[in-house]
Structures are given as structure tokens and as C-alpha cells.
């Protein structure tokens, strides 16, 4: 027997979310039906859509434009870190390790997934880079992040912007054992090895 039409519509809506298949969509839908807290989902979605916008300067998600980071005079406006997603900004801010400003591309270069250069905010990056002393490419150390970093570098070169461009360091995570590390992490660690002394 098929599910009632409203439930089937809810399942189909959840299935449209990235990484959610039919079984997961069914579990989410049934959770919404039986949980009073989950029924607040619709009002939370409406409020988020109505009251969240992108910062006109960095492209991050915000309530106010410009965002709190771009409005902060204590932040170094000449040091820009390019990241793929707002969640990257959230992780860096939670760690309190970066005192510059951000440029959020709202994605990573993944043509197979339908995300190409026109979907990323490269034009604004080029304009902001003209007033910067350093562009720090903070995209993820995976294939999509590497392709995105190259795309940013190419956009700056094409526009003739001469600015220092750096990349986040990569290597062995502290407290990890070599036997559990991915081949790419080990390759990065060997390539980026640090000299302790000369012979």
C-alpha cells in the first residue's frame, strides 16, 4: 500500500536534499510525524529563508549586511582567506585561529556535480584582491578543493592582479598514527617536510 499523498510529498522533498536517498527521506519524514519538536521545522525554514542573506562583501551567510566579520575593525581587511562554504568560516571562527577576513565562494569547482566556474564568486574575489596584501587559499585539501584553489589562482592571473597568494599547510594531523593515514596525507607530509638541521 502506498503512503498517503501528503507523506509521499514530504518524503520526495527530503529526497531532493544532497546525500539523502529514499530510505533516509522516509526516516526523516516519519520522525517529523511523530516528534513535536520536528514539527517546528517548517517555521525554522521560513525564518531562515526570510532572514538570512549573503554578505555583500565576503559572500558569507548573515542576518545583517555587511556581516559581523566584515564590520569588525579589528579584523585585517588586507588578509583574505578564500573558502568554499559558510561552514568553513564557522569552523575557523570556532577555532579562533584566523584574524583576517573571508571570501566565501559558495561551493567548490566540481563540474561532474554541476558546479563550474560561473557558479563561484570569482569576479568579486578578483576585485577584493586588488586591495589585499595576501590571499590565503583555504579550500579543502581534496580534489575539489585543489581544483577550486587552481581556479582562483588562474582568475587572479588572468585579471593581472599581483598579490601574494598562499595555501593552507598540509601534513600529518597531531596525535595520529601513520598506519591510519590516507595516502594523500602522507604524500603531502613528505613533500612539505620541515628541515631540522643541515648535514
Amino acid at each position: 500500500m502506498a503512503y498517503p499523498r501528503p507523506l509521499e510529498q514530504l518524503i520526495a522533498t527530503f529526497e531532493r536534499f544532497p546525500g539523502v536517498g529514499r530510505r533516509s527521506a522516509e526516516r526523516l519524514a516519519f520522525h517529523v510525524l511523530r516528534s513535536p519538536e520536528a514539527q517546528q521545522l517548517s517555521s525554522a525554514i521560513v525564518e531562515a529563508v526570510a532572514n538570512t542573506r549573503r554578505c555583500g562583501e565576503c559572500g558569507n551567510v548573515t542576518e545583517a549586511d555587511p556581516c559581523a566579520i566584515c564590520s569588525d575593525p579589528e579584523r585585517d581587511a588586507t588578509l583574505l582567506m578564500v573558502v568554499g562554504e559558510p561552514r568553513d568560516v564557522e569552523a575557523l571562527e570556532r577555532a579562533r585561529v584566523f584574524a583576517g577576513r573571508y571570501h566565501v565562494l559558495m561551493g567548490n569547482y566540481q563540474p561532474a556535480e554541476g558546479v563550474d566556474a560561473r557558479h563561484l564568486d570569482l569576479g568579486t574575489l578578483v576585485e577584493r584582491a586588488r586591495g589585499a596584501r595576501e590571499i590565503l587559499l583555504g579550500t579543502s585539501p581534496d580534489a575539489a578543493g585543489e581544483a577550486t584553489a587552481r581556479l582562483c589562482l588562474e582568475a587572479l592571473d588572468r585579471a593581472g592582479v599581483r598579490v601574494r597568494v598562499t595555501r593552507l599547510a598540509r601534513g600529518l594531523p597531531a596525535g595520529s598514527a601513520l598506519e591510519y593515514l590516507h595516502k594523500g596525507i602522507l604524500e603531502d607530509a613528505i613533500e612539505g617536510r620541515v628541515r631540522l638541521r643541515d648535514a
Side-chain angles (χ1 to χ4, degrees):
M1 181 175 171
Y3 292 129
R5 185 187 53 77
L7 178 56
E8 194 60 54
Q9 285 179 322
L10 181 58
I11 292 169
T13 300
F14 280 128
E15 275 188 287
R16 291 189 199 106
F17 292 176
V20 177
R22 175 71 184 188
R23 295 276 186 217
S24 295
E26 287 177 343
R27 279 194 297 276
L28 290 167
F30 282 112
H31 179 71
V32 166
L33 290 180
R34 72 177 163 264
S35 171
E37 295 83 23
Q39 291 174 16
Q40 299 169 2
L41 179 63
S42 63
S43 61
I45 291 171
V46 169
E47 184 175 348
V49 170
N51 298 321
T52 304
R53 59 190 51 82
R54 289 188 67 192
C55 174
E57 291 184 34
C58 70
N60 197 14
V61 291
T62 182
E63 284 185 79
D65 188 9
C67 70
I69 295 171
C70 289
S71 300
D72 185 349
E74 299 296 315
R75 304 296 289 239
D76 184 351
T78 66
L79 173 59
L80 299 179
M81 184 187 300
V82 179
V83 296
E85 302 284 350
R87 63 179 173 254
D88 300 327
V89 174
E90 176 63 24
L92 288 157
E93 288 300 293
R94 198 172 44 248
R96 296 183 178 166
V97 293
F98 182 66
R101 296 194 181 172
Y102 298 94
H103 184 82
V104 183
L105 296 169
M106 292 304 277
N108 283 298
Y109 183 63
Q110 295 177 290
E113 303 287 323
V115 181
D116 57 32
R118 65 195 156 111
H119 296 106
L120 305 178
D121 200 359
L122 297 172
T124 308
L125 171 61
V126 167
E127 290 309 310
R128 294 183 76 203
R130 294 187 196 284
R133 67 177 167 80
E134 181 179 347
I135 303 295
L136 170 54
L137 300 175
T139 55
S140 297
D142 56 17
E146 291 299 323
T148 304
R150 278 194 307 276
L151 199 66
C152 292
L153 192 54
E154 289 167 6
L156 294 169
D157 287 345
R158 271 194 314 276
V161 177
R162 294 289 165 244
V163 63
R164 180 178 187 213
V165 180
T166 57
R167 184 85 169 99
L168 287 178
R170 296 174 296 186
L172 301 176
S176 61
L178 290 178
E179 63 186 302
Y180 300 117
L181 297 177
H182 183 273
K183 176 181 180 268
I185 292 173
L186 293 171
E187 286 174 346
D188 287 341
I190 290 170
E191 285 178 23
R193 62 189 179 274
V194 177
R195 181 188 311 150
L196 296 179
R197 90 176 169 191
D198 290 321

